């Protein structure tokens, strides 16, 4: 998972993340990774509108956000 997070950061991608909190609650968050440490990473969370620190082991899934261009009629 750490390698995937590093790739997302290097590509400056937005991702939707499924995350399990310490309390056991599962949340879906849209994030932009800013820094990767040993077992944690910093990211801007669009759900909370703030920078957050996440534990890599608690990440369940990462899905890149794909922006589609609007079709011209």
């Amino acid at each position: 998972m750490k390698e995937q997070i590093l790739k997302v950061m290097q590509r400056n991608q937005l991702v939707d993340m499924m995350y399990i909190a310490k309390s056991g609650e599962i949340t879906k968050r849209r994030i932009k990774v800013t820094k990767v440490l040993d077992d944690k990473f910093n990211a801007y969370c669009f759900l909370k509108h703030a920078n957050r620190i996440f534990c890599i082991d608690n990440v369940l899934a990462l899905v890149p956000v794909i922006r589609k261009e609007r079709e011209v009629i």
Side-chain angles (χ1 to χ4, degrees):
M1 187 58 74
K2 186 173 182 176
E3 294 81 16
Q4 194 175 1
I5 294 168
L6 284 167
K7 280 183 188 178
V8 164
M9 183 182 75
Q10 291 166 352
R11 294 176 181 165
N12 207 24
Q13 283 183 311
L14 294 181
V15 291
D16 285 334
M17 172 179 73
M18 295 298 292
Y19 188 79
I20 185 164
K22 289 178 187 173
S23 64
E25 179 185 4
I26 296 175
T27 58
K28 179 182 177 186
R29 299 165 179 257
R30 182 159 290 180
I31 61 166
K32 181 175 183 182
V33 179
T34 55
K35 187 176 183 181
V36 179
L37 305 168
D38 290 332
D39 60 345
K40 297 180 188 224
F41 65 96
N42 296 2
Y44 181 80
C45 177
F46 291 92
L47 178 69
K48 299 289 185 179
H49 301 286
N51 287 308
R52 298 281 187 199
I53 298 172
F54 298 99
C55 181
I56 291 173
D57 290 339
N58 291 1
V59 176
L60 302 174
L62 289 174
V63 180
V65 175
I66 299 171
R67 297 185 194 137
K68 293 183 181 176
E69 293 183 26
R70 293 188 177 204
E71 294 179 15
V72 179
I73 299 175

